[in-house]
Amino acid sequence: MNKVNENGIKALSVIGLIITTIIWGSAFAVMKNSVDVISPTYLLALRFTIAFAALSAVFWKRLREVGKKEVYCGVILGFFLFTSYFFQTYGLKYTTASKNAFITTLYVILVPFLHWFFNKKKPLKNNLGAAVIAVIGLAFISLEGDLSVNVGDLLTLICGLFFAFHIVFVGRYAETYDPIIMTVLQMGVAAGLSWVIAPCLEGSLKLAVIDHSMAVSLLYLGIFSTMICFLLQNMGQKHLSPNTSSIILSFESVFGLLFSVFLLGEPVTLKLLTGCGLLFLAVILSEYRKPVSQR
C-alpha cells in the first residue's frame, strides 16, 4: 500500500472514531432517561441483544465461516466490553455524572502501558505526553468542585480499566481477524453475560415499562450507540494504534457536553474551551512523527 492510500485510510479511520464519539455523546440523555425506567443490567442486555441481532442479520454470511480462534477473541472482547459497561452503569448510581465521565476516560493514560505490556509495543514519548495532556483536558471538561472519593468512583475506575483492556485487545485482534466478525461476536457475548447476570441482581424484567417511547430509545441505543459505534471502532482500530484510538474516543466527553450546551442550554465556559483545546492538542501530538531528513 502506498503512502497516499495509507494516509487516506488512516484519515477515514479517524473520522469513523470521531463519528463514534459524537453518537456516544448524544446518547447521554437517552441513557439517562432509559436507566430511570429499566434497571441497568437489563438495559445493557437489551441494547447488546438488539445490536447482536441486527449485526447477525446483516453479516450472517460471514458468520458461517467463523473459526475457533475468532470465537475465542470474541469472548475476550465481549467480556471486557460487558464488564466495563456494567461497572460504569453501577458506578453512576453512587457518584456524579461528571466524575463518572472523567474517571472512565482515564483509560487514555492506561492504554499506552497496557499496549506495551500485552502487545510489546513501547509507547513513544509523544504518546505518553499526549495521554497526560488528554487527562488534564478531561479534568477541565468533567470535574467540578467535589473531588472526594466514594464507592461509585472506585467502581468507575474499574470500568475505565476494562475499557482500556478492550481498546488494547481490539487493536491486537484487528491486525489479524475480520473486525466485523469481532464486533458481532463481542456483542453476542456481552448480551449473553447481561442476560445471565441481570436476573441475579435485579429480579425479573418488567416488560410493561417498555412503551413506544422506550422502544425508540432502546433501538437508538442498540443500533446507533452500540452496533454502529463498535463497528466503526473495531474497523478504525485496524489502522490506528490503541494509543491514538483511546485519545480520540475520549472525545465522547467533549461531544456529551456540546450536546448539553445546544440541547439543554448549558453555558460555554473558558474551562470547557480549555479542556477541548487540550484534547485536540493531545490527538495531534499522539500522531506526530519527527520528519525523516532526506539527503
Side-chain angles (χ1 to χ4, degrees), residues 16-32:
L17 291 187
I18 290 174
I19 292 172
T20 296
T21 64
I22 292 172
I23 296 173
W24 281 345
S26 70
F28 275 125
V30 179
M31 192 71 178
K32 176 73 171 66

PDB file of all heavy atoms in Angstrom, residues 16-32:
ATOM      1  N   GLY A  16     -14.167   7.867  11.393  1.00  0.00           N
ATOM      2  CA  GLY A  16     -15.062   6.857  11.956  1.00  0.00           C
ATOM      3  C   GLY A  16     -15.103   6.902  13.476  1.00  0.00           C
ATOM      4  O   GLY A  16     -16.172   6.818  14.087  1.00  0.00           O
ATOM      5  N   LEU A  17     -13.941   7.061  14.104  1.00  0.00           N
ATOM      6  CA  LEU A  17     -13.890   7.135  15.572  1.00  0.00           C
ATOM      7  C   LEU A  17     -14.537   8.419  16.082  1.00  0.00           C
ATOM      8  O   LEU A  17     -15.187   8.430  17.132  1.00  0.00           O
ATOM      9  CB  LEU A  17     -12.445   7.042  16.058  1.00  0.00           C
ATOM     10  CG  LEU A  17     -11.747   5.692  15.880  1.00  0.00           C
ATOM     11  CD1 LEU A  17     -10.378   5.693  16.575  1.00  0.00           C
ATOM     12  CD2 LEU A  17     -12.587   4.535  16.414  1.00  0.00           C
ATOM     13  N   ILE A  18     -14.370   9.511  15.336  1.00  0.00           N
ATOM     14  CA  ILE A  18     -14.999  10.773  15.749  1.00  0.00           C
ATOM     15  C   ILE A  18     -16.519  10.656  15.657  1.00  0.00           C
ATOM     16  O   ILE A  18     -17.244  11.129  16.551  1.00  0.00           O
ATOM     17  CB  ILE A  18     -14.481  11.944  14.889  1.00  0.00           C
ATOM     18  CG1 ILE A  18     -13.008  12.230  15.231  1.00  0.00           C
ATOM     19  CG2 ILE A  18     -15.323  13.205  15.115  1.00  0.00           C
ATOM     20  CD1 ILE A  18     -12.353  13.273  14.351  1.00  0.00           C
ATOM     21  N   ILE A  19     -17.021  10.027  14.587  1.00  0.00           N
ATOM     22  CA  ILE A  19     -18.465   9.794  14.478  1.00  0.00           C
ATOM     23  C   ILE A  19     -18.954   8.967  15.670  1.00  0.00           C
ATOM     24  O   ILE A  19     -20.017   9.222  16.245  1.00  0.00           O
ATOM     25  CB  ILE A  19     -18.800   9.087  13.151  1.00  0.00           C
ATOM     26  CG1 ILE A  19     -18.541  10.031  11.969  1.00  0.00           C
ATOM     27  CG2 ILE A  19     -20.259   8.601  13.134  1.00  0.00           C
ATOM     28  CD1 ILE A  19     -18.657   9.356  10.610  1.00  0.00           C
ATOM     29  N   THR A  20     -18.157   7.972  16.059  1.00  0.00           N
ATOM     30  CA  THR A  20     -18.484   7.150  17.223  1.00  0.00           C
ATOM     31  C   THR A  20     -18.649   8.008  18.471  1.00  0.00           C
ATOM     32  O   THR A  20     -19.628   7.862  19.221  1.00  0.00           O
ATOM     33  CB  THR A  20     -17.376   6.102  17.459  1.00  0.00           C
ATOM     34  OG1 THR A  20     -17.332   5.219  16.350  1.00  0.00           O
ATOM     35  CG2 THR A  20     -17.635   5.309  18.730  1.00  0.00           C
ATOM     36  N   THR A  21     -17.708   8.917  18.704  1.00  0.00           N
ATOM     37  CA  THR A  21     -17.777   9.746  19.916  1.00  0.00           C
ATOM     38  C   THR A  21     -18.943  10.730  19.856  1.00  0.00           C
ATOM     39  O   THR A  21     -19.523  11.059  20.894  1.00  0.00           O
ATOM     40  CB  THR A  21     -16.460  10.520  20.130  1.00  0.00           C
ATOM     41  OG1 THR A  21     -16.250  11.434  19.053  1.00  0.00           O
ATOM     42  CG2 THR A  21     -15.271   9.579  20.219  1.00  0.00           C
ATOM     43  N   ILE A  22     -19.304  11.188  18.652  1.00  0.00           N
ATOM     44  CA  ILE A  22     -20.460  12.082  18.514  1.00  0.00           C
ATOM     45  C   ILE A  22     -21.737  11.343  18.911  1.00  0.00           C
ATOM     46  O   ILE A  22     -22.570  11.857  19.662  1.00  0.00           O
ATOM     47  CB  ILE A  22     -20.573  12.618  17.071  1.00  0.00           C
ATOM     48  CG1 ILE A  22     -19.400  13.557  16.761  1.00  0.00           C
ATOM     49  CG2 ILE A  22     -21.893  13.356  16.869  1.00  0.00           C
ATOM     50  CD1 ILE A  22     -19.319  13.994  15.310  1.00  0.00           C
ATOM     51  N   ILE A  23     -21.877  10.110  18.405  1.00  0.00           N
ATOM     52  CA  ILE A  23     -23.073   9.328  18.739  1.00  0.00           C
ATOM     53  C   ILE A  23     -23.105   9.013  20.228  1.00  0.00           C
ATOM     54  O   ILE A  23     -24.147   9.147  20.889  1.00  0.00           O
ATOM     55  CB  ILE A  23     -23.112   8.028  17.913  1.00  0.00           C
ATOM     56  CG1 ILE A  23     -23.254   8.340  16.426  1.00  0.00           C
ATOM     57  CG2 ILE A  23     -24.277   7.127  18.368  1.00  0.00           C
ATOM     58  CD1 ILE A  23     -23.144   7.127  15.522  1.00  0.00           C
ATOM     59  N   TRP A  24     -21.958   8.594  20.792  1.00  0.00           N
ATOM     60  CA  TRP A  24     -21.913   8.317  22.225  1.00  0.00           C
ATOM     61  C   TRP A  24     -22.241   9.570  23.038  1.00  0.00           C
ATOM     62  O   TRP A  24     -22.930   9.488  24.052  1.00  0.00           O
ATOM     63  CB  TRP A  24     -20.537   7.771  22.616  1.00  0.00           C
ATOM     64  CG  TRP A  24     -20.361   6.320  22.298  1.00  0.00           C
ATOM     65  CD1 TRP A  24     -21.331   5.423  21.987  1.00  0.00           C
ATOM     66  CD2 TRP A  24     -19.118   5.602  22.271  1.00  0.00           C
ATOM     67  NE1 TRP A  24     -20.781   4.179  21.761  1.00  0.00           N
ATOM     68  CE2 TRP A  24     -19.426   4.255  21.932  1.00  0.00           C
ATOM     69  CE3 TRP A  24     -17.792   5.947  22.501  1.00  0.00           C
ATOM     70  CZ2 TRP A  24     -18.445   3.274  21.810  1.00  0.00           C
ATOM     71  CZ3 TRP A  24     -16.819   4.958  22.386  1.00  0.00           C
ATOM     72  CH2 TRP A  24     -17.133   3.645  22.044  1.00  0.00           C
ATOM     73  N   GLY A  25     -21.739  10.718  22.588  1.00  0.00           N
ATOM     74  CA  GLY A  25     -22.022  11.965  23.296  1.00  0.00           C
ATOM     75  C   GLY A  25     -23.504  12.296  23.278  1.00  0.00           C
ATOM     76  O   GLY A  25     -24.065  12.771  24.270  1.00  0.00           O
ATOM     77  N   SER A  26     -24.155  12.014  22.137  1.00  0.00           N
ATOM     78  CA  SER A  26     -25.588  12.313  22.025  1.00  0.00           C
ATOM     79  C   SER A  26     -26.437  11.324  22.815  1.00  0.00           C
ATOM     80  O   SER A  26     -27.606  11.583  23.090  1.00  0.00           O
ATOM     81  CB  SER A  26     -26.014  12.270  20.553  1.00  0.00           C
ATOM     82  OG  SER A  26     -25.998  10.940  20.061  1.00  0.00           O
ATOM     83  N   ALA A  27     -25.853  10.177  23.165  1.00  0.00           N
ATOM     84  CA  ALA A  27     -26.621   9.116  23.832  1.00  0.00           C
ATOM     85  C   ALA A  27     -26.742   9.320  25.339  1.00  0.00           C
ATOM     86  O   ALA A  27     -27.466   8.572  25.999  1.00  0.00           O
ATOM     87  CB  ALA A  27     -25.988   7.758  23.550  1.00  0.00           C
ATOM     88  N   PHE A  28     -26.026  10.326  25.895  1.00  0.00           N
ATOM     89  CA  PHE A  28     -26.079  10.530  27.349  1.00  0.00           C
ATOM     90  C   PHE A  28     -27.518  10.721  27.840  1.00  0.00           C
ATOM     91  O   PHE A  28     -27.950  10.096  28.806  1.00  0.00           O
ATOM     92  CB  PHE A  28     -25.245  11.755  27.749  1.00  0.00           C
ATOM     93  CG  PHE A  28     -23.783  11.444  27.941  1.00  0.00           C
ATOM     94  CD1 PHE A  28     -22.811  12.146  27.239  1.00  0.00           C
ATOM     95  CD2 PHE A  28     -23.369  10.464  28.820  1.00  0.00           C
ATOM     96  CE1 PHE A  28     -21.465  11.867  27.409  1.00  0.00           C
ATOM     97  CE2 PHE A  28     -22.026  10.176  28.997  1.00  0.00           C
ATOM     98  CZ  PHE A  28     -21.072  10.883  28.286  1.00  0.00           C
ATOM     99  N   ALA A  29     -28.259  11.601  27.157  1.00  0.00           N
ATOM    100  CA  ALA A  29     -29.629  11.884  27.597  1.00  0.00           C
ATOM    101  C   ALA A  29     -30.519  10.657  27.437  1.00  0.00           C
ATOM    102  O   ALA A  29     -31.340  10.351  28.307  1.00  0.00           O
ATOM    103  CB  ALA A  29     -30.188  13.061  26.790  1.00  0.00           C
ATOM    104  N   VAL A  30     -30.343   9.925  26.329  1.00  0.00           N
ATOM    105  CA  VAL A  30     -31.139   8.721  26.088  1.00  0.00           C
ATOM    106  C   VAL A  30     -30.856   7.678  27.169  1.00  0.00           C
ATOM    107  O   VAL A  30     -31.768   7.058  27.716  1.00  0.00           O
ATOM    108  CB  VAL A  30     -30.827   8.139  24.696  1.00  0.00           C
ATOM    109  CG1 VAL A  30     -31.648   6.866  24.462  1.00  0.00           C
ATOM    110  CG2 VAL A  30     -31.130   9.160  23.612  1.00  0.00           C
ATOM    111  N   MET A  31     -29.589   7.501  27.485  1.00  0.00           N
ATOM    112  CA  MET A  31     -29.197   6.518  28.504  1.00  0.00           C
ATOM    113  C   MET A  31     -29.754   6.907  29.866  1.00  0.00           C
ATOM    114  O   MET A  31     -30.259   6.059  30.609  1.00  0.00           O
ATOM    115  CB  MET A  31     -27.670   6.438  28.556  1.00  0.00           C
ATOM    116  CG  MET A  31     -27.139   5.272  29.360  1.00  0.00           C
ATOM    117  SD  MET A  31     -27.432   3.703  28.528  1.00  0.00           S
ATOM    118  CE  MET A  31     -26.646   2.585  29.695  1.00  0.00           C
ATOM    119  N   LYS A  32     -29.676   8.194  30.191  1.00  0.00           N
ATOM    120  CA  LYS A  32     -30.156   8.675  31.488  1.00  0.00           C
ATOM    121  C   LYS A  32     -31.656   8.411  31.624  1.00  0.00           C
ATOM    122  O   LYS A  32     -32.128   7.895  32.645  1.00  0.00           O
ATOM    123  CB  LYS A  32     -29.880  10.177  31.620  1.00  0.00           C
ATOM    124  CG  LYS A  32     -30.424  10.814  32.899  1.00  0.00           C
ATOM    125  CD  LYS A  32     -29.598  10.402  34.105  1.00  0.00           C
ATOM    126  CE  LYS A  32     -29.984  11.195  35.344  1.00  0.00           C
ATOM    127  NZ  LYS A  32     -31.355  10.909  35.795  1.00  0.00           N
TER     128      LYS A  32
END
